[in-house]
Amino acid sequence: MLDLDAALPPGALCEAHPDAVAAALGEAYWWHGREDAMDTDPATGAITRWIPHGTGPAAIPTEPNKGLGQSAEIGGLFGLQCRAGTHCGMVADGVTNAASTATMAIRFYTPPGDEARTLLTLNAAEGGNYLFLSEAAETLTVKDDNDLIEIDLPCPATDTPRLLIVSLHGDHLAVALDGTRSRAQARAPVLTGPASLFIGCRNHRPKLFKTLGAALILDVWLFPGRTLLMSDETADTASLAALARHHLWAEG
């Protein structure tokens, strides 16, 4: 029997209930990789809807994803299984009315020998621009389609899940990958107006095969109007700590 006289964070001894994590996250949308959060087609097993924990819009298959996105479990990790060169993406429409200020986060696993490619994309309706997160050739890249800004971080292969956090505020971008941080400033504001969040792809276009990889996407978060990586506010530092704790202790 193990006796400890110190307080432990939720989930240190077992997986924390999503309600405990969500309470610490504050105002956020969370698509949690749990089997009961994913509605599936009984005939094909394809995911038809990814329901966020608590509030927020459901993620549904993109137009090219016609029964291709499926869930999977690898070593106790459960989530949306993407396949290289195959459009398995989901989209949560209208996640924010002001894409200029937001934080995205994703917890993902890339099987050894594979590449995640596109992980998340915040796609703005105005201006025709989008900001995407991608992993390839052991490099994590966060950049926009109009070449206003780019941050690259080393992402050496590892047989463990990763946590990636990205904050955007106007022309400022901050990125954190498993604790390693970087910041950059664009020559103009990157995104404006309403936006949708694409998971595992960049948009509804059907032929961007080289951008589609093989990540197992475990959790996705969006914090509209919040810049966790650029803020010293108590609520924002608490949200970052909650993300880190969930990444550390979650079983799946």
Side-chain angles (χ1 to χ4, degrees):
M1 178 177 179
L2 179 64
D3 291 321
L4 297 174
D5 59 4
L8 294 175
L13 300 180
C14 61
E15 184 179 8
H17 191 278
D19 286 345
V21 179
L25 291 175
E27 296 182 5
Y29 301 143
W30 178 17
W31 295 269
H32 186 10
R34 295 169 64 95
E35 191 169 2
D36 58 5
M38 294 180 175
D39 290 343
T40 59
D41 184 321
T44 65
I47 300 171
T48 58
R49 190 172 60 147
W50 192 350
I51 306 166
H53 183 80
T55 61
I60 61 175
T62 57
E63 293 173 7
N65 177 6
K66 300 185 184 301
L68 301 173
Q70 308 238 342
S71 61
E73 183 175 352
I74 301 176
L77 303 171
F78 184 88
L80 168 65
Q81 179 64 70
C82 299
R83 290 177 286 155
T86 303
H87 209 300
C88 302
M90 311 283 289
V91 58
D93 288 318
V95 290
T96 178
N97 289 321
S100 59
T101 301
T103 293
M104 295 180 281
I106 184 170
R107 185 167 169 262
F108 68 99
Y109 170 72
T110 308
D114 288 327
E115 294 179 333
R117 300 288 177 169
T118 304
L119 291 160
L120 282 181
T121 304
L122 191 60
N123 198 317
E126 297 178 9
N129 198 16
Y130 55 77
L131 184 72
F132 66 90
L133 291 49
S134 180
E135 180 270 319
E138 298 194 358
T139 300
L140 190 287
T141 298
V142 180
K143 72 184 300 290
D144 71 300
D145 192 47
N146 288 348
D147 294 323
L148 294 173
I149 198 165
E150 179 175 344
I151 290 179
D152 297 307
L153 289 176
C155 189
T158 179
D159 194 21
T160 57
R162 295 185 182 276
L163 176 64
L164 171 62
I165 307 170
V166 176
S167 289
L168 176 69
H169 181 58
D171 58 354
H172 290 268
L173 181 68
V175 179
L177 175 65
D178 294 338
T180 300
R181 296 195 183 194
S182 183
R183 297 183 65 159
Q185 183 173 5
R187 61 180 185 273
V190 180
L191 301 177
T192 59
S196 296
L197 184 68
F198 287 81
I199 303 171
C201 61
R202 300 185 186 183
N203 48 40
H204 287 291
R205 291 177 58 188
K207 295 184 179 180
L208 295 174
F209 300 126
K210 66 180 181 180
T211 69
L212 305 172
L216 178 66
I217 298 178
L218 308 171
D219 294 280
V220 173
W221 296 269
L222 183 79
F223 300 78
R226 300 177 63 189
T227 54
L228 271 57
L229 296 176
M230 305 178 194
S231 172
D232 293 325
E233 296 290 332
T234 300
D236 293 331
T237 55
S239 294
L240 283 176
L243 288 174
R245 286 198 304 269
H246 176 70
H247 177 55
L248 178 62
W249 298 113
E251 295 178 354

